[in-house]
Amino acid sequence: MAQRLLLRRFLASVVSRRPCPGRWGPLTSRALPAPQCGPGDLTGTPSQARSLYTTRVCATTFNIQDGPDFQDRVVNSETPVVVDFHAQWCGPCKILGPRLEKMVAKQHGKVVMAKVDIDDHTDLAIEYEVSAVPTVLAMKNGDVVDKFVGIKDEDQLEAFLRKLIG
């Protein structure tokens, strides 16, 4: 938690600083240009610009922090939610998690994904009868409408999401 707070403060200070004119290119929503510096000077000579690209995975996937967070972001959500119950020590979870995140991101906001670590939130795992990991629930309007346990391939995940979206 302290690391997250420090990171947030650092990012706020970096974003609030105004760069020197001509030193940094204009920022866009999809790319972050690198500084234009030569090998031995700090005055800024033109060079090949590098870009940092972002993905939408972060916008559609979130980690559950506690019970009230689950209630607010999953049960009370108007958007259908895929809930991934996983564990850090679970091998199949490490395969399914990124695959599921990618498939959810392809839905462009029609569905979101909540990740629940069963070691941190055993109460939620017990409440939703999670007996093995990975367990994935499909929730719509606060109700569980579908569920699977274990690893699935991309075609099966796509069918699972299509059924949830309707």
Side-chain angles (χ1 to χ4, degrees):
M1 190 67 177
Q3 291 172 334
R4 196 175 294 161
L5 180 61
L6 286 172
L7 179 62
R8 195 173 289 149
R9 284 183 183 167
F10 170 75
L11 290 175
S13 71
V14 169
V15 170
S16 66
R17 284 190 213 147
R18 295 187 56 113
C20 301
R23 180 101 175 145
W24 293 81
L27 297 178
T28 64
S29 62
R30 296 298 295 166
L32 179 64
Q36 305 294 313
C37 295
D41 67 356
L42 297 175
T43 59
T45 57
S47 67
Q48 183 87 16
R50 294 173 291 180
S51 298
L52 173 68
Y53 292 95
T54 60
T55 64
R56 285 194 50 141
V57 172
C58 294
T60 58
T61 303
F62 52 89
N63 290 315
I64 295 299
Q65 304 301 318
D66 53 26
D69 186 41
F70 185 86
Q71 183 72 27
D72 183 49
R73 297 172 86 179
V74 176
V75 176
N76 296 337
S77 175
E78 293 179 9
T79 306
V81 182
V82 172
V83 184
D84 177 20
F85 286 92
H86 68 280
Q88 299 249 337
W89 45 264
C90 169
C93 299
K94 293 177 183 179
I95 296 168
L96 180 66
R99 188 180 292 173
L100 192 54
E101 286 179 33
K102 182 175 131 186
M103 298 304 290
V104 167
K106 284 183 181 179
Q107 303 304 316
H108 304 291
K110 294 177 187 170
V111 64
V112 294
M113 179 174 162
K115 298 183 77 159
V116 180
D117 189 321
I118 62 161
D119 293 328
D120 295 337
H121 307 292
T122 53
D123 55 333
L124 290 172
I126 292 168
E127 182 179 345
Y128 286 93
E129 299 173 357
V130 174
S131 58
V133 286
T135 295
V136 178
L137 305 179
M139 296 187 71
K140 200 175 210 178
N141 301 321
D143 298 322
V144 177
V145 294
D146 202 359
K147 173 181 180 175
F148 71 82
V149 178
I151 200 162
K152 301 284 182 194
D153 64 26
E154 289 190 6
D155 293 336
Q156 293 169 315
L157 292 175
E158 190 173 330
F160 180 78
L161 293 174
R162 261 198 319 263
K163 183 178 174 185
L164 174 62
I165 295 168

